[in-house]
Amino acid sequence: MNHRESVDHHAVLRARTLLLGSGTINIHETVDAYRVLAKVSPAVYLPRLAQALLEYDRVTPRNAETRLAVVTEAAEAAGRMDETDKKRAALLLEALEALREELLLLGRTDEARSVGHEHSRPAPEGEHSS
């Protein structure tokens, strides 16, 4: 995390409390919590965010635009993971394959062919996905 970037400590506390609570939370809440926590602890929470986004993609009703946004975010999260993380390669491959599949279903063949090149490296400093 960039030290210049402000952190909403209340949001971090809410996210941690939600994840650690004894109640069940839905996939939307899980993804939102991991988005917040990935900003302050990327090594721990980027893999969890990527996994949660891929799970979200599997359990939500089919909507092409939403699914494309979700699998794109999953690929970006997996691509930003530490390259020494053992989970990175498998998560990145799964996310990129889901992204390719969605682009092909949308008829965006040229974009589907180029998937993997731009998502395999960490985002430049200051560039973050939402």
Side-chain angles (χ1 to χ4, degrees):
M1 185 176 90
N2 187 331
H3 293 290
R4 289 174 275 144
E5 192 176 329
S6 66
V7 176
D8 182 346
H9 295 286
H10 295 290
V12 171
L13 182 60
R14 281 191 304 272
R16 287 188 173 139
T17 302
L18 183 66
L19 292 171
L20 294 172
S22 60
T24 57
I25 62 173
N26 65 42
I27 192 66
H28 302 282
E29 294 168 320
T30 302
V31 167
D32 287 342
Y34 287 150
R35 282 177 177 142
V36 170
L37 295 172
K39 292 176 184 176
V40 295
S41 189
V44 174
Y45 290 103
L46 280 173
R48 294 176 187 183
L49 175 59
Q51 288 173 327
L53 286 162
L54 290 170
E55 178 64 22
Y56 176 90
D57 179 50
R58 287 188 279 273
V59 300
T60 55
R62 181 127 177 84
N63 173 306
E65 288 183 29
T66 301
R67 185 166 193 261
L68 181 59
V70 168
V71 295
T72 298
E73 185 179 357
E76 289 170 351
R80 290 189 347 249
M81 287 171 60
D82 188 317
E83 291 186 18
T84 62
D85 190 318
K86 295 176 185 174
K87 297 177 189 175
R88 184 181 189 270
L91 274 172
L92 186 57
L93 182 63
E94 183 179 355
L96 291 175
E97 189 54 41
L99 179 55
R100 260 189 225 99
E101 184 179 299
E102 188 57 32
L103 287 167
L104 287 171
L105 288 170
L106 291 169
R108 295 162 66 174
T109 310
D110 291 339
E111 288 176 74
R113 275 192 224 121
S114 69
V115 165
H117 304 290
E118 67 277 4
H119 294 285
S120 60
R121 292 180 211 82
E125 184 79 22
E127 185 178 309
H128 301 283
S129 67
S130 359

